[in-house]
Amino acid sequence: MPSSILSKYILCSFSNYFAKIFDFFPACSLVSFQNGDFELGTTSGWTVGGGSRTSLSSSEILPDYFLPGGRLYNYTIEHSSIVTNGSDPILGDLMPGIVEGGQYSFRVEDLVNGGYASVIGRQINSYYCLDIYFSWLAVLQNGNHSSNQSSLVIVQLEDITTGEKLILRRYDAGATGSGIDNRFRQKDNYFYTPAWQSEHLAIDNTRFGHDFILTVFAGDCQPTGHVGYIYLDSFSGLSP
Ligand SMILES: [Ca+2]
């Protein structure tokens, strides 16, 4: 067993131990997040989809529309990909390496414009651990459009037992810059995150055993001339 995996196992065993002491809940398990870091080099365990977003303004978009069974899902649109470490092809050294941990991460959508959108989702059921972590890195091309017509990324972590969105980030490349916040910087006509954005949900005992779903969306601009994409890595019960 590689030492990094071994140390994570030991850490998780520790947190299991304390969870048992304090709440007598079943042990949390790495199995919940198997391939949450994409280190199988595949999307095993995840659900991926895509489609055209040109019929919708950004405010009308829900990520679920582009997952299998969704109203805009098109199985021929496969723009997303597992990626290996290296620089972002557009922003280069302005962004960190496009893999946060290990050898692989996942890029939602691609670097070609065309009015498309893509999504990846992962559900974990009956979750008894104390934390959920994941990290993302986004690029939005400013096409000098309104927010509603611009490229778009959405990151959401939902407690589907209660229907609450516990983490919700929604950014667009609207021309005024009002669709981003201080997580982003600008280079030419690109908004980008200069560091991996580490998300952490601390789960209190009112949520033990609930089902959660992580959904990450990226879409080109509606007029089709500009790109949006987002990298995802390190979905785990343990800090990256
Ligand atoms: Ca990884």
Side-chain angles (χ1 to χ4, degrees):
M1 187 180 289
S3 61
S4 61
I5 294 175
L6 181 62
S7 61
K8 282 192 175 183
Y9 180 79
I10 292 169
L11 270 173
C12 197
S13 298
F14 245 140
S15 63
N16 289 351
Y17 175 72
F18 286 114
K20 279 178 184 167
I21 288 178
F22 290 124
D23 289 288
F24 305 100
F25 280 110
C28 68
S29 167
L30 288 176
V31 171
S32 298
F33 294 100
Q34 190 170 37
N35 199 37
D37 54 7
F38 303 102
E39 293 306 302
L40 293 179
T42 70
T43 55
S44 174
W46 296 82
T47 303
V48 178
S52 170
R53 59 111 350 148
T54 57
S55 64
L56 295 180
S57 57
S58 297
S59 64
E60 298 174 306
I61 288 178
L62 294 178
D64 287 354
Y65 291 167
F66 300 91
L67 286 171
R71 56 188 267 206
L72 293 173
Y73 172 66
N74 179 337
Y75 72 94
T76 67
I77 306 301
E78 295 182 345
H79 293 178
S80 303
S81 180
I82 293 283
V83 296
T84 55
N85 212 347
S87 298
D88 177 76
I90 295 175
L91 278 308
D93 292 346
L94 293 174
M95 293 176 78
I98 60 174
V99 172
E100 188 188 41
Q103 298 187 59
Y104 303 100
S105 73
F106 189 75
R107 188 200 62 236
V108 183
E109 253 303 306
D110 61 15
L111 285 68
V112 181
N113 62 358
Y116 294 100
S118 295
V119 186
I120 190 166
R122 178 70 178 265
Q123 184 167 333
I124 50 174
N125 294 323
S126 304
Y127 188 62
Y128 286 99
C129 296
L130 301 173
D131 304 280
I132 296 176
Y133 295 90
F134 61 96
S135 304
W136 57 272
L137 196 59
V139 175
L140 290 165
Q141 188 179 16
N142 180 353
N144 207 26
H145 308 306
S146 68
S147 277
N148 234 352
Q149 288 194 307
S150 294
S151 58
L152 173 74
V153 294
I154 302 167
V155 175
Q156 59 186 40
L157 181 62
E158 183 174 359
D159 178 338
I160 51 178
T161 302
T162 63
E164 295 167 277
K165 290 186 175 68
L166 303 175
I167 293 175
L168 176 58
R169 314 218 181 271
R170 201 173 170 112
Y171 297 109
D172 67 66
T176 64
S178 63
I180 52 157
D181 63 16
N182 59 13
R183 291 169 178 265
F184 285 79
R185 290 188 192 158
Q186 189 166 1
K187 164 71 173 173
D188 301 327
N189 64 338
Y190 289 94
F191 299 114
Y192 67 95
T193 46
W196 279 93
Q197 303 298 301
S198 298
E199 304 283 4
H200 172 218
L201 176 68
I203 297 170
D204 67 43
N205 58 13
T206 66
R207 297 188 192 281
F208 279 157
H210 287 193
D211 301 340
F212 297 86
I213 189 163
L214 173 67
T215 310
V216 178
F217 166 101
D220 299 334
C221 73
Q222 187 181 22
T224 77
H226 306 89
V227 302
Y229 55 93
I230 185 167
Y231 301 96
L232 173 67
D233 204 358
S234 310
F235 184 49
S236 174
L238 300 169
S239 178

